[in-house]
Amino acid sequence: MRFPDSKPHLSLPRILEMNLGFLGLQFSFGLQQGNMAPIYSYLGASEAALPILNLAGPITGLLVQPLIGAMSDRTDSRWGRRTPYFLFGAVLCAIGLFFMPLSSSLLMAVSMLWILDAGNNITMEPYRAYVSDRLNENQHQIGFLTQSAFTGLAQMLAFLTPSLLVWAGMNQDWVDTHNIPYTARIAFMVGAFLSFTTILWSIRRVPELPLSLAERARIAAEPKGIVATLTEIGSAIRDMPVAMRKLAVMSLFQWYAMAAYWAYVIYAIGRSVYGTDAPTSTGFHSAVLTNGEMAAFYNAVAFVAAFAMVPLAKRLGAASLHAACLVLAGAGMLWLPHVTEKWMLFLPAIGVGIGWASIMGNPYVILAGSIPPERTGVYMGIFNMMIVIPMLLLAATLPFYYQPLMNGDPRHVLSLCGVLMICAAVAVWSVRERNAEGLPVGATQA
């Protein structure tokens, strides 16, 4: 079979099916965002140590995604180019999710997070490249913004699951011998099931397109092995398109802010709404559930906003639209620390949700149009480095200034996040999307 000269135009239902695996993948990320910091606190960790304990995500992302990206670009197997990585990553993810809430020590929890994040990262990068591989350029916006919509839906469900269990009759203070609530145990096991089954559904219902004879010949002629893979990553970094270099500056501010927000929002809510900083208190358990409900709400906003952004991105351009959305997210983060009533948390969450929808879609629209198709995998992996390096910087810096500059108060961290999101908006404003031939995204050569 030969790769068609023009990729088949997919209907919206088919695009939804091909991205269904993102629901399981992002359900997993939602569980991490909403539960890892509390789990560490239940097991005895201090607030200042949280960024260090969460190093698994950025480090595995830094090491795994570029390697998997370069390897998948050069893979020609009976199962496809990206599919083997989907399946292996999904299995690791399911294992990490299943055993995480059974952790009996910080060491076990950290170890399970490393397994979980390795699986997530092995799956994530090929999934981004799969959309670019499978869709024509004029469908990239709907493809990536559909992934953004599934991100919002999945994380909404992940954050809301513990509260749904409490509403169904479970006691929020029912914990095991290690202080981990049973609501978290059930939510993680649901995630283990979803992470594998949704990815399997996607690749069975919308399989990869077969490679052309020319593509197979190119892959066969390329050197293999770890040295060749590292050489390809270095070469791709050297030849990085201008638009992608500008996105790196935006990512530095954007992802430092998001990582800090996820790590400290529960602690800020605990202090501002429930007046507690004790991880084993009923007030803290309430803060965890409240953050889940608020995060579910802003992810629901993201789900709706992602589809609304499709025509807006075509009219305004993905870069300009993204800048506006980041300003709204920054305003929401600046507002949150000053909220003292639970119901009012949902107002600034609207801005956070709109920003989150844009973060998970628009930068990839810019990226997909600016990179050569034959290097999609490696560039998607390198772009993930721009996500995880700011997270590593957070872990390396925040423990040193949390007490002297933030006064040991997570509410001040959220204010910092708001300022950084506005800085990211300024950085992305000047980016103009260009395709690999130097034309504006969506344009064609005469």
Side-chain angles (χ1 to χ4, degrees), residues 21 47 54 56 83 89 91 98 142 145 163 203 206 212 219 243 282 331-332 335 349 357 362 366 392 395:
E47 289 181 8
N54 282 307
T83 300
V91 169
F98 185 86
I142 185 64
L145 288 172
S163 289
I203 60 180
V206 189
S212 67
I219 291 173
T282 296
W335 186 3
N362 283 314
I366 301 169
L392 290 172

Side-chain angles (χ1 to χ4, degrees), residues 87-152:
L87 293 176
F88 181 63
V91 169
L92 284 183
C93 182
I95 291 172
L97 285 170
F98 185 86
F99 288 102
M100 176 63 73
L102 304 178
S103 296
S104 57
S105 65
L106 275 174
L107 178 61
M108 181 176 176
V110 170
S111 300
M112 288 301 103
L113 185 61
W114 279 84
I115 293 172
L116 172 56
D117 272 320
N120 281 337
N121 281 288
I122 289 169
T123 304
M124 175 70 78
E125 186 286 323
Y127 222 122
R128 296 289 192 188
Y130 167 54
V131 171
S132 187
D133 292 344
R134 197 66 172 79
L135 299 176
N136 283 313
E137 190 174 285
N138 62 5
Q139 287 197 298
H140 281 174
Q141 286 174 326
I142 185 64
F144 286 115
L145 288 172
T146 298
Q147 286 192 347
S148 176
F150 272 123
T151 297

Side-chain angles (χ1 to χ4, degrees), residues 240 242-253 383 386 390:
M240 191 184 302
V242 173
M244 191 171 176
R245 293 179 187 274
K246 290 184 177 181
L247 287 175
V249 179
M250 172 211 75
S251 293
L252 177 64
F253 294 117
F383 189 64
M386 301 176 187

Side-chain angles (χ1 to χ4, degrees), residues 199-214:
I199 290 170
L200 186 63
W201 179 276
S202 287
I203 60 180
R204 286 181 62 86
R205 294 289 295 169
V206 189
E208 295 184 73
L209 293 172
L211 294 170
S212 67
L213 295 178

Side-chain angles (χ1 to χ4, degrees), residues 338-361:
H338 305 287
V339 173
T340 57
E341 298 290 334
K342 175 180 175 179
W343 69 270
M344 285 191 65
L345 292 170
F346 295 89
L347 299 179
I350 295 172
V352 176
I354 293 172
W356 182 231
S358 186
I359 287 169
M360 294 305 294

Side-chain angles (χ1 to χ4, degrees), residues 303-321:
F303 176 73
V304 175
F307 287 113
M309 286 180 193
V310 175
L312 288 175
K314 291 180 179 179
R315 177 175 297 182
L316 302 176
S320 298
L321 178 60

Side-chain angles (χ1 to χ4, degrees), residues 286-310:
S286 296
V288 172
L289 293 177
T290 296
N291 175 64
E293 293 161 17
M294 183 187 72
F297 174 74
Y298 82 62
N299 276 284
V301 170
F303 176 73
V304 175
F307 287 113
M309 286 180 193
V310 175

Side-chain angles (χ1 to χ4, degrees), residues 29 32 51-52 54-67 114 117-118 120-122 124-125 128 233 237 244 247-260 262 356 359-360 364 378-397:
F29 276 114
Q32 287 179 243
I52 295 174
N54 282 307
L55 277 176
I59 289 181
T60 55
L62 183 67
L63 299 177
V64 171
Q65 286 212 25
L67 289 173
W114 279 84
D117 272 320
N120 281 337
N121 281 288
I122 289 169
M124 175 70 78
E125 186 286 323
R128 296 289 192 188
I233 293 171
I237 292 174
M244 191 171 176
L247 287 175
V249 179
M250 172 211 75
S251 293
L252 177 64
F253 294 117
Q254 172 181 284
W255 286 104
Y256 192 106
M258 290 306 303
W262 290 328
W356 182 231
I359 287 169
M360 294 305 294
Y364 296 95
V378 67
Y379 273 124
M380 289 290 180
I382 291 170
F383 189 64
N384 189 67
M385 294 170 66
M386 301 176 187
I387 296 173
V388 300
I389 288 174
M391 296 180 178
L392 290 172
L393 287 174
L394 175 72
T397 58

